[in-house]
Amino acid sequence: MTLLAIDSREAPRRRLFKAEDRPLVSAGLYLALALCIALPLTLMFLWSVADGWQPPSIFPQSFTTSRWIHILGDENLVAALLTSLFIAFTVTILTALIAMPTAWAMGRFPFRLKRLVEIFILAPVIIPGLVVAVGVGKVFLLLGLAYSVAGVIIVQIVGTLPLMIRLMSATFETIPDELIHAARSLGAGTASIVLHVILPLSVPGLLAGGLMSFIGSFEEFDKSFIVGAPVIQTLPIKLYMYLDPYSMQLPLAAIVSFILLLPALIVFIIAGRIMRDDLMAAGMGKI
Amino acid sequence: MSVLHRHRSLQLLLLLTPGVGYLLFFFGTPLLSALVGSFQLEDGTFTLNWYQCIFTRASTLRGLSTSIYYGTMPVLLSLTLSVPLSLLLRRSFLGRKLFSGLYKLPLAVPGIIVGLMVIVVFERGGFFDRLLAPIGFTLPKLVRDDWGIGVILAGAWKQVPFMTLIITSAFAAIPEDIRHAARSLGASRLKTFLFVDIPLAMPGITAAILLTFIGSMSSFAIPDIVGPPTARPLSVLMVQEFKQGRFEQVYAMGMVLSLFAIIVLLAYYSLTSRIGHDSRKGEQS
Amino acid sequence: MMSELEIRNLTKHYGETRVLHPVSLSVERGEFVTILGPSGCGKSTLLRILMGISEASGGEIHLAGKRLDLAPPEARDIAMVFQSYALFPHMSVAKNLGFGLKMKNVPKDERAKRIAHVVDICNLHGLLDRMPRQLSGGQQQRVALARAVVMQPSLLLFDEPLSNLDAKLRDSLRHDLVALHRRIGTTSLYVTHDQAEAMAMSDRIVVMNAGRIVEIGTPLELYRSPRHVFTAQFLGQTNLLTVEASGTGGRLPWGQVITLDRPATGTAQVSLRPENIAIIADENGVATVSSVAFLGATLFYTMEIGTLSLKVSQAGGVDPLSVGTRVSFDLAGPVHLLDHLPMAEAA
């Protein structure tokens, strides 16, 4: 068999591996992204600043910022925004506080019935939020919590707690026993260990869970609607009212949408930079 | 404090109390009272009336089937988009890191806004309609149409990033060596995907599918805004009844929805544990 | 006659970094060749290129007369045993073994025959219905081995398959591997960083460092007469000493004269193995015992001569000398002279 005298320098080869860049794939994906995400958002924005946008014009002919100015001065809207923010912050902090001891138990102690408790903790995610709210609604009426901010906070925590517990128990599980033993042997008491060992190591999980809870609460609709409306108005509830099919006000709805979206997007972008995909996957169990 | 150290079960109980206790009180009890309430008349006597109403009235029966429809269709659509997307994302391409962040944006958008977006883009008189008008086409009715296409599109829009996230994670969790082993044993890329990747990623994928199904089956905002008034899912009917104060009827509907969700979950557990059982078949003492 | 496996001028770089300088190697049919080197020397890269999961930047590979590097992994007549076993977790042992045969469309009865045979020679009786997670580490590795062997490939690749096992298991599996190779005679390329493993198993050893092949030879050749400093130090223990050579005689730094195994002139380097240094307790000796380690089968000493430190070993049956004893050396036999190779090549 003759030895082929092939040029063994970097000659181009017939290969199954495509070029690193895959420009076609990249272009296609970004195009899809533009069509699916950028386009609707842009359109909504145009609606919010268009001064009358009738068919058949594809783009608005004239623009006005009057609606934005008007709306930002609307007391009700500002009140709704502040209500939403306040509720979101409170829910996030309370969820974290309530979740952590339980997550610690779930993440570090083996015990009988653990599976049962796991399933119970997951139940609020399975049972539709509406059903929970409706059940809670009656109880709240008796307790006088209906149509109150406290009521909305309480019912939202039911939704954020399962995810937070799961995220935090996953995080706590990863803290090596040896670290805690080492800290004890160096003289640290329980409080010190929590403050100086456990909390710092839990920051990724706390951050992920906190951001998830915040966004979850901020844009939560079903439960807040049942428990709070029409007295307590969060931003999503306000938006819903603008979208009543019989008296829809598209431009106003668009503006409120952006106000609703903006904090969520900012928080989300921050989260995206900090969090890992698998944590995100574990946390997002909501629609 | 040392007392706690010694009695581990006491320690455990105390730790579990905040979370589990909270859920028991604000979730378990209301759920239980709703369950009980669904079987009661106003005077407290036992009745199956409310359930009868659901299964005899055409509107509620259609509500249940619509709920299931709104659960299944978006998931199917999402799957057909997510699986290829997660495959494309596996390997590098220009701008992959940025894209990996951007495609998750819909996760942060609440359902109502998605509904609004569907209206803006697809409604009669909306963007695409105007775009196509000069060419002489009109878009079929996609919002509040009989097939609920707007609802399905909106649901899928929100779900695709979530499913892609889960599916890519599931695939990424498979050790690269196992794929290499399959290739070295004669499996082409496609065969490796079919015989190795998919079976091993299945548990994660089915979990994602189930969660998404349950979520969109019971969603309220999107079907309410974008769905046809002729076919309202149970979630929307529930809110209607609630506003009119017919609480018991609402409880019954809620229980039916929940029951369905639980059935689906049980089916999932039995499926996955059966696979587990098969693989334990050869276990010797 | 062309060898079974011919690697010619294989190179690999990632951007600016060169991972494999041109590497060339021939393996004869039925040979068991080990590629030995420290982590990062390029041996795993070489293996991945052979497997087809990594693409070479240049060069070519021929297997059994056919051009190998242009074919996709699934079309190559190669099977690999992985360090992590890489058993398919969702398939039983039987299915794992049958997977490759199915992929290559081997007829059913032939499949059954081959599997039965490989169960026999790899000692997998009774394990066919088990799932990988029900097996011990040693069992899993045997299944991984069987899965590769059942393919009857032209070339078997081993990627440090014993590293994940504990010492005792490693020894017994190593023994099994050697026996297996003797039985089936497949051309094998074995990658490891463990020099004892390499010496015990191989027909020839390819010593690699920093993306280059340093030396190739039989275990005996490489241990007793390495050409390169790197080889001398990597295989077992040695003392590297400078000598003033004239002809076959050489003078050690402390003045002792020795015979070299080949003639040379001027300054040169020798490799003196610890076991080849005979010691005599001597009040006027040149060296002092500075440490003693009793390892059971061997006695390991460190000796000081002036600024030099020498490693010496003896069979463990002798009574150990105590620290501070003065000794002199009896270096009768010829001492191996290393090649005068520039340091750059060893880097």
Side-chain angles (χ1 to χ4, degrees), chain B residues 177 180 183-184 195 279 283, chain C residues 74 84 90 131 133-134:
Chain B
D177 262 355
H180 293 160
R183 299 295 299 284
S184 79
F195 291 115
S279 58
E283 194 153 354
Chain C
E74 58 267 23
S84 64
H90 58 300
M131 301 299 283
R133 64 167 176 278
Q134 298 170 292

Side-chain angles (χ1 to χ4, degrees), chain A residues 16-23 25-26 29-30 33 35-37 39-41 43-44 47 53-59 97-99 101-106 109-111 115 117 119-141 143 145 153-155 157-158 161-162 165 184 190 215 219 221-222 225-226 236-237 239-240 243 245-246 248 250 253-254 256-258 260-261 264-265 268-269 277-278 280-282 284-287, chain B residues 1 5 8 11-12 14-20 22-31 33-34 85 87-113 115-117 119-121 123 125-128 130-131 133-134 144 155 157-159 162 165-166 168-169 183 189 211-212 214-221 224-225 229 232 234-236 238-239 242-243 247-248 250-251 253-255 257-258 261-262 265 269:
Chain A
L16 299 176
F17 309 99
K18 299 154 199 153
E20 276 281 295
D21 278 348
R22 299 204 287 165
V25 168
S26 177
L29 286 177
Y30 273 97
L33 206 64
L35 276 179
C36 294
I37 298 182
L39 181 66
L41 285 174
L43 286 175
M44 265 178 32
W47 271 104
W53 187 5
Q54 303 296 351
S57 38
I58 295 181
F59 288 112
L97 287 175
I98 299 176
T102 310
W104 184 259
M106 298 297 289
F109 291 78
F111 57 93
R115 189 82 182 116
V117 176
I119 295 180
F120 178 68
I121 291 180
L122 210 46
V125 178
I126 307 295
I127 307 287
L130 263 182
V131 180
V132 176
V134 155
V136 162
K138 193 113 185 283
V139 174
F140 276 8
L141 273 172
L143 293 175
L145 281 172
I153 291 178
I154 291 178
V155 82
I157 294 181
V158 173
L161 209 51
I165 293 180
R184 271 205 207 282
T190 311
I215 296 185
E219 45 180 64
F221 178 74
D222 292 7
F225 184 64
I226 301 271
I237 295 178
L239 178 59
Y240 177 73
L243 289 177
Y246 299 108
M248 169 140 49
L250 209 47
V256 179
S257 296
F258 272 104
L260 184 54
L261 261 181
L265 275 178
F268 190 76
I269 292 174
D277 264 7
D278 47 352
M280 261 189 134
M284 314 238 64
K286 61 181 187 67
I287 279 286
Chain B
M1 262 308 173
H5 277 252
R8 195 170 149 284
Q11 205 181 9
L12 195 62
L14 273 173
L15 283 174
L16 283 177
T17 305
V20 178
Y22 188 95
L23 287 178
L24 271 175
F25 191 71
F26 287 113
F27 167 72
T29 332
L31 203 63
S33 84
L85 184 58
L87 285 178
L88 284 175
L89 282 173
R90 271 216 282 195
R91 294 190 291 149
S92 70
F93 57 87
L94 194 60
R96 176 172 178 232
K97 200 144 186 248
L98 180 63
F99 186 86
S100 297
L102 287 178
Y103 88 88
K104 295 180 191 136
L105 278 176
L107 291 171
V109 181
I112 318 175
I113 300 187
L116 176 58
M117 287 162 78
I119 293 178
V120 163
V121 176
E123 171 74 293
F127 185 69
F128 274 138
R130 302 188 198 185
L131 209 57
R144 290 192 209 102
W157 192 88
K158 271 221 76 154
Q159 287 171 14
F162 176 62
L165 196 57
I166 303 275
T168 22
S169 297
R183 299 295 299 284
R189 274 222 168 83
L211 273 178
T212 332
I214 293 176
S216 67
M217 175 185 75
S218 42
S219 85
F220 165 72
D224 192 49
I225 299 173
R232 297 204 176 91
L234 269 188
S235 46
V236 175
M238 270 174 71
V239 175
F242 185 83
K243 281 199 221 158
F247 295 120
E248 288 77 19
V250 179
Y251 295 152
M253 287 186 187
M255 289 303 124
L257 258 186
S258 305
I262 294 175
L265 209 66
Y269 274 127

Side-chain angles (χ1 to χ4, degrees), chain C residues 9 16 34 37 39 48 60 63 65 76 80 134 150 196 235 238 271-272 279 282 334:
Chain C
N9 300 319
E16 292 301 313
T34 299
S39 323
R48 292 167 67 94
E60 28 182 276
L63 179 65
R76 303 191 183 195
M80 177 138 140
Q134 298 170 292
V150 84
L235 286 180
T238 191
S271 160
L272 188 55
I279 50 178
D282 182 355

Side-chain angles (χ1 to χ4, degrees), chain C residues 20 40 66 91-92 106 113 163 203 217 283 311 344:
Chain C
L20 282 181
K66 284 183 288 192
M91 298 186 196
S92 65
V106 172
K113 216 167 47 150
S163 321
D203 295 323
E283 287 176 350
K311 296 179 251 199

Side-chain angles (χ1 to χ4, degrees), chain C residues 200-261:
Chain C
M201 301 174 75
S202 334
D203 295 323
R204 278 191 301 151
I205 302 180
V206 175
V207 180
M208 272 189 81
N209 188 33
R212 286 192 165 89
I213 293 185
V214 177
E215 228 178 302
I216 306 180
T218 67
L220 211 66
E221 283 166 9
L222 291 183
Y223 187 77
R224 294 213 181 142
S225 6
R227 293 180 57 211
H228 212 289
V229 173
F230 181 80
T231 315
Q233 287 184 308
F234 200 77
L235 286 180
Q237 304 259 23
T238 191
N239 298 292
L240 292 173
L241 300 165
T242 331
V243 290
E244 282 304 315
S246 45
T248 51
R251 185 180 296 272
L252 289 167
W254 58 92
Q256 194 165 351
V257 173
I258 50 170
T259 331
L260 302 170
D261 64 347

